[in-house]
């Protein structure tokens, strides 16, 4: 038996990695190499890096290292990630979901920079939303809410009227701190109690509601 719930919003804010794009293979390769260079356990590193900008992950993993070194190291890692798109694919349902949002208020809110987000979305065969909040747009990484708040402001929508789509603990924390409801995508999200949890985007359907609202239909079977 299929059960469907409906959420109402005025804008949708979409994370990229793990939400629209499966980039886990690339992330694993780049960050495990980084872990090896610094004598860190790769499994422990992978528990930290999802959802955050690289420099913020490094600050947690190497707390005694000066932040300027983290920023310089992060620039090198971003270049590695941008060049490594092998195995980067769309999350199931992402092409159709993005197509259904045309003409509706939505934005990308990602910890990736412009180059990386452009490369990964292209590798996955996905169109970039017109409104994009990237690493260059903010002064603080998720779990800080700045990116989501900027996305809502760009769209001219109150954060409380937005729904965020996220896969990581850092991202869910950021969206909650911005005052938004959260749809969790995939298994990583399940550990962080999003308002709604789905395995992928095939469970979601969007339609334009009355008075400029967006109706998000969530299949929860």
């Amino acid at each position: 038996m299929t059960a469907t719930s409906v959420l109402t919003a005025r804008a949708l804010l979409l994370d990229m990695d793990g939400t629209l794009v499966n980039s886990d293979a690339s992330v694993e390769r780049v960050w495990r190499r980084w872990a090896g260079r610094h004598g860190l356990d790769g499994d422990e590193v992978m528990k930290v890096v999802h959802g955050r900008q690289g420099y913020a992950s490094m600050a947690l993993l190497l707390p005694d290292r000066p932040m300027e070194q983290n920023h310089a190291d992060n620039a090198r890692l971003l270049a590695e990630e941008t060049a490594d798109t092998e195995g980067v694919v769309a999350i199931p349902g992402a092409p159709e979901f993005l197509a259904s949002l045309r003409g509706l208020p939505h934005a990308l809110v990602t910890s990736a920079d412009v180059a990386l987000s452009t490369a990964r979305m292209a590798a996955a065969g996905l169109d970039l939303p017109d409104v994009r909040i990237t690493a260059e747009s903010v002064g603080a990484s998720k779990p800080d809410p700045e990116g989501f708040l900027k996305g809502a402001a760009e769209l001219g929508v109150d954060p409380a009227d937005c729904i965020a789509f996220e896969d990581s603990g850092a991202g869910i924390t950021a969206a909650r701190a911005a005052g938004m409801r959260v749809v969790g995508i995939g298994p990583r999200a399940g550990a962080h109690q999003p308002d709604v949890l789905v395995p992928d985007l095939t469970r979601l359907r969007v339609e334009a509601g009355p008075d400029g609202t967006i109706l998000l239909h969530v299949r929860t079977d």
Side-chain angles (χ1 to χ4, degrees):
M1 183 175 177
T2 299
T4 302
S5 59
V6 181
L7 302 177
T8 302
R10 291 194 173 274
L12 307 182
L13 301 182
L14 314 171
D15 175 50
M16 182 182 72
D17 293 301
T19 300
L20 297 173
V21 172
N22 183 345
S23 56
D24 282 0
S26 173
V27 173
E28 289 262 349
R29 285 191 293 269
V30 169
W31 276 99
R32 285 185 182 276
R33 284 198 301 269
W34 181 88
R37 291 197 294 269
H38 294 279
L40 298 174
D41 181 85
D43 290 341
E44 294 304 310
V45 167
M46 295 315 301
K47 292 176 183 177
V48 171
V49 300
H50 291 291
R52 293 179 173 85
Q53 291 191 46
Y55 75 84
S57 296
M58 293 171 189
L60 292 172
L61 293 162
L62 298 172
D64 297 327
R65 190 166 78 159
M67 189 57 79
E68 58 265 26
Q69 284 185 241
N70 294 335
H71 282 285
D73 209 359
N74 183 46
R76 289 188 288 270
L77 252 67
L78 282 169
E80 285 185 51
E81 289 185 294
T82 300
D84 183 358
T85 56
E86 183 180 353
V88 174
V89 296
I91 294 289
E96 298 81 2
F97 186 69
L98 282 173
S100 74
L101 297 183
R102 290 186 190 125
L104 299 175
H106 68 287
L108 187 73
V109 181
T110 177
S111 292
D113 64 2
V114 169
L116 181 57
S117 59
T118 300
R120 284 189 174 158
M121 291 288 280
L126 300 175
D127 293 329
L128 282 161
D130 291 337
V131 178
R132 300 184 286 276
I133 305 299
T134 63
E136 295 92 341
S137 309
V138 297
S141 168
K142 298 173 184 176
D144 190 280
E146 182 184 2
F148 282 114
L149 292 172
K150 283 202 167 183
E154 286 279 334
L155 295 170
V157 177
D158 189 291
D161 292 326
C162 296
I163 296 174
F165 296 72
E166 270 286 357
D167 73 300
S168 70
I172 291 171
T173 299
R176 281 233 175 86
M180 298 176 184
R181 292 158 292 162
V182 186
V183 174
I185 309 295
R188 272 194 298 270
H192 303 283
Q193 291 79 50
D195 296 285
V196 173
L197 178 65
V198 292
D200 57 46
L201 297 169
T202 64
R203 302 296 186 95
L204 305 177
R205 182 174 63 84
V206 167
E207 67 173 321
D211 304 321
T213 59
I214 299 170
L215 302 179
L216 177 68
H217 298 261
V218 183
R219 203 172 82 240
T220 55
D221 58 298

